[in-house]
Amino acid sequence: MKGEVSYDSAAEAEVEVMESDLPAGEAPEGVAPDGMGCHAPAEQMEAQARASGNGAVLDQFAKDYPQGPHDRPESMCPAFGSLRVGLRMRRVATVLSGSACCVYGLTFVSHFYGARRSVGYVPFNSETLVTGKLFEDIREGVEQMADPERYDAIVVTNLCVPTASGVPLRLLPKEINGVRIIGIDVPGFGIPTHAEAKDVLAGAMLNYARQEVAAGPVPAPKSGRTDRPSVTLLGEMFPADPMMIGAMLAPMGLAAGPVVPTREWREMYAALDCGAVAAIHPFYSAAVREFEAAGRPIVGSAPVGVDGTHDWLAAIGDAMGVAPAQVAAAQNAFIPAIKDALAANPINGRITLSGYEGSELIVARLLIESGADVAYVGTACAASRWSQADREWLEARGVVVKFRASLADDLAAADGLDPDLVIGTTPVVQHAKQKGTPSLYFTNLISARPLMGPAGAGSLGEVINAAIAGKERMDKMRDFFEGVGEGDTAGIWEGSPNLRPDFRAAHQKKLDKAERAAKAQEMI
C-alpha cells in the first residue's frame, strides 16, 4: 500500500492459504452444513442442541440456574468459570472443544488471571463437526494425554457450537490408564453466568467422586483426616476465611472441611465425608444435589457480622447435633470480638452494591452492620433457598435486593439512589467514575478480602472509607476534563466529528423492524 509505514519484516512472512474446489459456503459431498456458528442467536443454538439430543442437559441447566425476568444478565463467557476451576486444581488437565475464537479468548483471559498451565484444544471444522469426527478427535486426544504419572483427571469442556451440534462427551470413557475423564457442556446459551459454570464442573466432579466412594475404598487426602466432624465449605473464598471459620467451629468440637471447588482430586472425598455443608455461596445447585444424594444437610448464609455469625453458628450446631451449651460457647467467644471490630471500623455513607460472584448479599450484610446505608444489592446469580435468610435480613432493613440483576438495573441504582460509593462490575464502576462518584470493583477490591468472623468485620472499613473520602478528588478530575467530549465526540478534533445521524436512524429502523418480526413470529 502506498505510503504504508513498516516497523518490522512481519509483512514478508509467507502465509499458507488453504484452497478448495468447492464454492464458498458449500460442504463436501455427503456432508450437510450445520448452519451453526458462535455468532448464531441463542434461541437458534438451543433449538439445535435439543434437536441434537442435548435437551436433557439444557433442561437440567434451566432447573439449576433459572433465568429471568430478562433473558440473562450481562456476563463474560460462562465457560471461564469452569475453566478457572479446572486450572486451579493440581494434576488436572483441561481440554476445550469449541470455536477457535472462543478458545483464544478463554485461554487469554485465564492466563491474564494467573493460569500457570496450558489449555488443551481440539480444533474442528464443519466436516468433522457434523460427521462425528470431532468426537473421535477428542477421544484420541484424551487417550494421548491420559498419563497417570501426570494427571488424576482430564476435564473436557464443550463450548457453544459442539453443544449445539450434540457432540456426545457422555460417551467418552470414564477412565483411561487410571486417569478420570470428565466431560461437561458449558454453553453460553444454557448457563447464565461464569459463576454458575463453576458449579457445573464442581457438581460433575463430586458426582464422579461419590460414585468412586460407593464402589469401594478411596485414597485419604494428603493432609490427612481430621478427628473431629467437619463442615464442608461451598464457594470460593479469601484464603483466610476457611481458617477463621475453622476457629469459630472449634469450640463446638467441629472442624472446617475442604472448600469446594477443591484444589486437588482427593479433597473431593474429604468434602463428601462431612457432617454438613455450608453453602457460603448459595448458587452451587449441582454440587448441593450431590451432597444431598450423599445424605449431607445444607446450611445457608455465612458467619458475617454479629447477626450472621450468631445465626450461622446456631444453624450449624443444629445440623450437626451440637449441644446448645457448645454453640453458645462459640458464639460468646467470637461475637464480642466482631462487635469490637465493627465499632473500630465504622462506615458512614450510602452504598449501592452489585456483582456476579454470588457473595453480594453477605457482603451487604457486613457493610450494614458496619454502619453503611446500603440502598441496593444486585447479583447476577439467581435466588435460591440458601440465600433466602440473607434476602429476608436485608429487605427487613429496607434494602432493594435484585437477583439476576441486569446492567441496566445496576446503572439505574447508581444513578437514582444518589450513593456516596458504588461497588460493582467493570461497566458499573466506569459509569460511576464518569459521573464523578467514587466506586470500587467488587471482584478485585471487595470479594478478595476476608469477610468471616472478626477478621472480616474490620476488613472493609478502611478501603470503603478511603474510597468515599476520594469524592473531592473525583470532582476535581471531572472538572479538569470537562469539555473534552464524550462518546462519539471524545478526544481532540480539528473540526467537528462527522456523526451521520441519518445512518444511525436508518440502522435503528432496521433493528426495530427485526424486533417486530421476531415478536410476530413468537405469536404464530
Side-chain angles (χ1 to χ4, degrees), residues 121-406:
Y121 171 46
V122 182
F124 67 89
N125 54 35
S126 293
E127 181 177 359
T128 61
L129 184 66
V130 300
T131 60
K133 181 65 165 54
L134 173 58
F135 174 78
E136 299 302 326
D137 290 343
I138 293 173
R139 177 168 180 154
E140 181 181 354
V142 296
E143 286 176 347
Q144 294 175 0
M145 292 180 65
D147 180 0
E149 295 296 321
R150 300 180 60 192
Y151 302 121
D152 291 329
I154 297 175
V155 177
V156 186
T157 303
N158 267 348
L159 303 181
C160 290
V161 173
T163 295
S165 300
V167 177
L169 296 183
R170 61 187 178 278
L171 299 183
L172 288 172
K174 296 301 180 184
E175 69 85 22
I176 300 174
N177 298 330
V179 178
R180 303 161 184 85
I181 309 300
I182 300 172
I184 57 174
D185 290 272
V186 189
F189 57 85
I191 300 173
T193 68
H194 79 283
E196 287 156 318
K198 297 177 184 178
D199 177 49
V200 174
L201 181 53
M205 288 186 164
L206 284 168
N207 178 272
Y208 198 119
R210 187 168 60 83
Q211 294 182 46
E212 289 183 305
V213 171
V218 294
K222 291 183 178 179
S223 58
R225 297 181 61 187
T226 177
D227 57 352
R228 292 173 290 169
S230 64
V231 177
T232 292
L233 308 177
L234 192 53
E236 293 176 309
M237 288 173 280
F238 187 77
D241 279 338
M243 293 186 287
M244 176 54 66
I245 290 175
M248 289 189 284
L249 292 174
M252 299 165 62
L254 306 176
V259 176
V260 176
T262 63
R263 293 304 178 95
E264 65 178 31
W265 187 267
R266 289 187 181 188
E267 290 180 353
M268 293 285 176
Y269 308 134
L272 290 164
D273 185 27
C274 65
V277 177
I280 304 294
H281 289 193
F283 60 83
Y284 281 84
S285 301
V288 164
R289 185 165 57 249
E290 297 303 324
F291 282 118
E292 289 182 329
R296 307 298 184 242
I298 315 296
V299 176
S301 194
V304 293
V306 175
D307 290 351
T309 301
H310 179 278
D311 296 344
W312 186 83
L313 289 174
I316 290 292
D318 182 63
M320 298 287 283
V322 177
Q326 287 181 281
V327 173
Q331 293 168 333
N332 293 334
F334 288 93
I335 288 178
I338 294 172
K339 289 181 178 179
D340 292 342
L342 292 172
N345 298 275
I347 297 174
N348 183 22
R350 167 168 280 205
I351 298 173
T352 61
L353 185 152
S354 57
Y356 46 56
E357 300 294 333
S359 57
E360 292 77 25
L361 272 65
I362 60 175
V363 170
R365 291 189 62 159
L366 186 56
L367 290 174
I368 289 173
E369 290 205 13
S370 298
D373 173 17
V374 178
Y376 166 86
V377 178
T379 176
C381 297
S384 77
R385 49 183 165 154
W386 316 119
S387 61
Q388 186 62 28
D390 297 324
R391 177 180 190 169
E392 292 174 353
W393 190 93
L394 291 169
E395 290 181 340
R397 286 154 181 79
V399 182
V400 175
V401 180
K402 182 77 172 181
F403 291 97
R404 286 283 187 245
S406 67

Side-chain angles (χ1 to χ4, degrees), residues 13-21:
E14 293 186 9
V15 178
E16 182 180 354
V17 179
M18 302 297 292
E19 297 183 356
S20 173
D21 296 331

Side-chain angles (χ1 to χ4, degrees), residues 424-436:
T425 56
T426 302
V428 177
V429 167
Q430 178 186 11
H431 177 80
K433 287 182 176 179
Q434 287 177 333
K435 294 184 59 180

Side-chain angles (χ1 to χ4, degrees), residues 473-497:
R473 185 173 69 252
M474 296 290 296
D475 290 338
K476 288 181 178 179
M477 291 177 63
R478 186 183 59 183
D479 294 340
F480 178 82
F481 288 104
E482 188 72 30
V484 300
E486 61 183 19
D488 295 322
T489 62
I492 299 174
W493 297 81
E494 293 183 359
S496 299

